[in-house]
Amino acid sequence: MHVSLLGLSYFAFQVSASPSLANSILARKYAPQFRFEKEEVFYPSTVEYFLAGPVKLYNENGTAPNVPDRLTNRNLGSIENNGAGMYLTTDIDANEDGFLRGQNPTLSRSTIYAFIAPKDNGVVDLYYWVFSPFNLGKNVTYMNVGWVGNHVGDWERITVRTVNGVATSVEYHAHSNTASTIPWAQVLKFSPWNPRRPPTANITNPFARPVGYIANGSHGIWQSAGAFNYQNVSGIQLYDITSDDGVYWDTQWSLTMINYPDTYSGTLNWLNYAGVWGNKGQTDCWWYSVYPSCKVVTGPIGPARDDVLGMAKRSIGSMLQQESMRLPAQTLATISDGISLYSIRLGPLATNKADEIKTVIVKQYCADSQDTPVSHTLGYSRMRPATRHYVFEVPGCEEGEYVAAYTIRFCTRNVEHMPSKGDNEPASCMFGIKRQLRAFSKASGDNSPQRVQAVDVEDLDNWDI
């Protein structure tokens, strides 16, 4: 990628919290184009624009002790306890047609907060965060419920994973969940030379970059234009709608680059804020007991959150205490035949405990057609001194089941067999959080995830203790 001296000076001006020049160039290389739904009126903004609001800071009781009269990006993170338990609050009715509309990127200069997260094994994850002052919820006609899910402050993102400087996948994020993770070869991309043409996965332009479709009002980011059901509770189905023909935003020169994790001060002091980016939600709607989402819900936390670090930086306190099928990201796999093959890496803490850990076990979870885990299969390896990379052969799932997730066990004694059903786990084994698997065919053009009995997994996120 050619970078002029002017471009380098721009990098120097924009780079914050000291990402390396190489990683800054990488972030620009894969900066997405965002396509807003054609009816969108609530656009992104900078943090500075939002805090100028008017926005006030209140605690759970609706008071604001020891809070500056004027909130800025330089003082928000310096409030007592970093603002934990506080709510950035505004009068929605008075401002819905004002500053909560944000900054249309075709009319004013907004920004994308690009978190650059170097990890082990050649991985640099690029998190492109979009902040919007307001999230418009959904109008639910079922039982005349009306509007639900409005909230002040909205953080959404896509993540481009790079390995040794080359993109390998894109994760799309919608409403605190991973909407989908897709291999780079199957990601819809646009050419900077023809930015309004329909995106395609088969583009050969080496400067092509990913497209993210931003849902109307609610800003969930999806991989294509369409209607996406993201919630179905008590008869209430919620859909995100995305489309072409709205505002197109090429973000390459709109990045605020942030090394992560790091320490933040000056104009990035706001990243230390640990409170809520929005009003406290309502709980007095008549349907709250069956569907806990009223017209106004509590805003989100900020972008400096644990799931940005991913599994590569997890420690025993958060990774090895309990299992969960809900993960901040999906691990990609390819389809295998009969036997699953897992290539995993251990972190430095686990690697240095080879004298205590005797056995490493891969546990592959098999689910039925209703997505319920019903059995598991196992692969074993003796722990080897100073060895980080292990490869496991694991029997495939039974007929009628598919590989849904996997985890590992660190065992402090030699273990060569565990039951394939039930929860009778050896007390000497510590277990990690399940990583959801998403399997794709290696065949060109086959771009939908598959439910299969066996997978090949090359997992570059460390397992550690």
Side-chain angles (χ1 to χ4, degrees):
M1 177 179 179
H2 175 72
V3 181
S4 67
L5 291 177
L6 178 61
L8 286 174
S9 67
Y10 194 94
F11 282 129
F13 178 75
Q14 285 288 96
V15 168
S16 302
S18 303
S20 70
L21 178 59
N23 286 344
S24 299
I25 294 173
L26 193 65
R28 289 209 194 279
K29 178 181 179 181
Y30 292 112
Q33 180 197 68
F34 287 124
R35 298 193 171 194
F36 294 88
E37 205 275 334
K38 56 188 176 183
E39 303 296 330
E40 184 63 75
V41 296
F42 293 102
Y43 287 102
S45 80
T46 64
V47 166
E48 295 91 325
Y49 172 93
F50 172 72
L51 292 177
V55 171
K56 299 294 184 181
L57 199 57
Y58 297 106
N59 60 21
E60 190 79 20
N61 300 318
T63 59
N66 303 318
V67 173
D69 292 334
R70 180 173 175 267
L71 297 172
T72 72
N73 58 355
R74 292 177 176 272
N75 65 21
L76 181 63
S78 298
I79 296 163
E80 185 178 359
N81 295 323
N82 299 116
M86 305 290 279
Y87 300 82
L88 284 165
T89 304
T90 194
D91 185 329
I92 295 175
D93 292 336
N95 294 300
E96 191 170 349
D97 292 328
F99 87 96
L100 291 179
R101 296 270 173 145
Q103 299 171 292
N104 183 327
T106 63
L107 302 175
S108 59
R109 185 171 179 81
S110 190
T111 195
I112 295 298
Y113 296 98
F115 280 48
I116 301 172
K119 300 176 181 178
D120 290 341
N121 309 314
V123 172
V124 177
D125 282 338
L126 306 170
Y127 299 85
Y128 298 95
W129 282 100
V130 184
F131 175 72
S132 302
F134 188 67
N135 175 98
L136 181 66
K138 307 298 180 182
N139 189 8
V140 177
T141 58
Y142 178 76
M143 297 184 67
N144 296 316
V145 166
W147 285 94
V148 299
N150 293 345
H151 60 82
V152 173
D154 196 16
W155 288 99
E156 302 285 1
R157 72 172 188 253
I158 71 169
T159 305
V160 177
R161 166 153 289 195
T162 68
V163 180
N164 298 322
V166 178
T168 60
S169 65
V170 175
E171 173 195 309
Y172 300 84
H173 191 261
H175 315 302
S176 301
N177 294 311
T178 295
S180 60
T181 303
I182 298 176
W184 179 253
Q186 298 168 12
V187 168
L188 293 181
K189 310 173 193 74
F190 80 105
S191 167
W193 323 134
N194 298 287
R196 296 195 68 85
R197 283 190 177 180
T200 176
N202 298 320
I203 192 168
T204 58
N205 187 328
F207 298 102
R209 291 181 274 120
V211 173
Y213 284 83
I214 297 183
N216 184 22
S218 57
H219 307 133
I221 304 178
W222 301 86
Q223 69 271 27
S224 63
F228 301 92
N229 177 220
Y230 65 90
Q231 196 167 93
N232 186 4
V233 179
S234 302
I236 297 176
Q237 296 188 25
L238 302 184
Y239 286 84
D240 266 355
I241 307 299
T242 64
S243 74
D244 292 297
D245 301 324
V247 169
Y248 291 10
W249 184 18
D250 183 347
T251 66
Q252 187 174 50
W253 298 103
S254 300
L255 304 181
T256 297
M257 299 195 201
I258 301 166
N259 195 61
Y260 193 82
D262 212 319
T263 56
Y264 305 110
S265 59
T267 59
L268 292 181
N269 170 279
W270 62 271
L271 284 167
N272 301 313
Y273 173 64
V276 172
W277 287 78
N279 295 22
K280 183 180 178 182
Q282 301 166 337
T283 60
D284 57 353
C285 52
W286 62 263
W287 59 85
Y288 189 81
S289 61
V290 292
Y291 180 69
S293 181
C294 294
K295 181 179 180 180
V296 176
V297 298
T298 300
I301 61 172
R305 54 181 75 170
D306 286 346
D307 65 332
V308 172
L309 288 175
M311 291 296 182
K313 299 288 185 181
R314 294 282 170 107
S315 64
I316 189 169
S318 59
M319 192 186 87
L320 292 175
Q321 287 183 338
Q322 60 181 354
E323 292 180 285
S324 171
M325 286 294 283
R326 296 184 59 80
L327 293 175
Q330 299 158 329
T331 299
L332 292 182
T334 54
I335 299 171
S336 184
D337 185 18
I339 298 293
S340 291
L341 197 66
Y342 287 85
S343 176
I344 71 165
R345 276 80 177 166
L346 303 188
L349 296 178
T351 303
N352 292 334
K353 289 186 176 293
D355 57 335
E356 301 176 32
I357 300 171
K358 305 301 182 184
T359 309
V360 183
I361 301 173
V362 163
K363 183 176 181 180
Q364 174 178 267
Y365 291 85
C366 304
D368 61 18
S369 60
Q370 303 301 312
D371 301 324
T372 302
V374 292
S375 66
H376 58 258
T377 56
L378 303 163
Y380 304 84
S381 176
R382 294 291 177 89
M383 187 75 168
R384 302 187 297 274
T387 301
R388 294 189 58 228
H389 185 200
Y390 290 78
V391 178
F392 296 80
E393 288 190 352
V394 181
C397 297
E398 297 177 3
E399 189 73 29
E401 300 174 2
Y402 74 95
V403 179
Y406 94 103
T407 187
I408 68 164
R409 299 289 194 265
F410 291 123
C411 301
T412 56
R413 65 180 178 85
N414 293 326
V415 177
E416 297 181 353
H417 176 75
M418 291 195 302
S420 62
K421 295 182 183 288
D423 296 318
N424 298 319
E425 305 285 354
S428 60
C429 295
M430 300 178 291
F431 49 84
I433 294 175
K434 294 175 185 173
R435 299 185 183 179
Q436 182 184 359
L437 292 170
R438 188 173 168 89
F440 288 83
S441 170
K442 295 178 182 178
S444 176
D446 190 354
N447 60 2
S448 58
Q450 307 290 318
R451 292 186 170 186
V452 296
Q453 293 174 254
V455 294
D456 288 344
V457 177
E458 179 76 26
D459 194 348
L460 296 179
D461 285 320
N462 291 344
W463 291 94
D464 216 336
I465 59 175

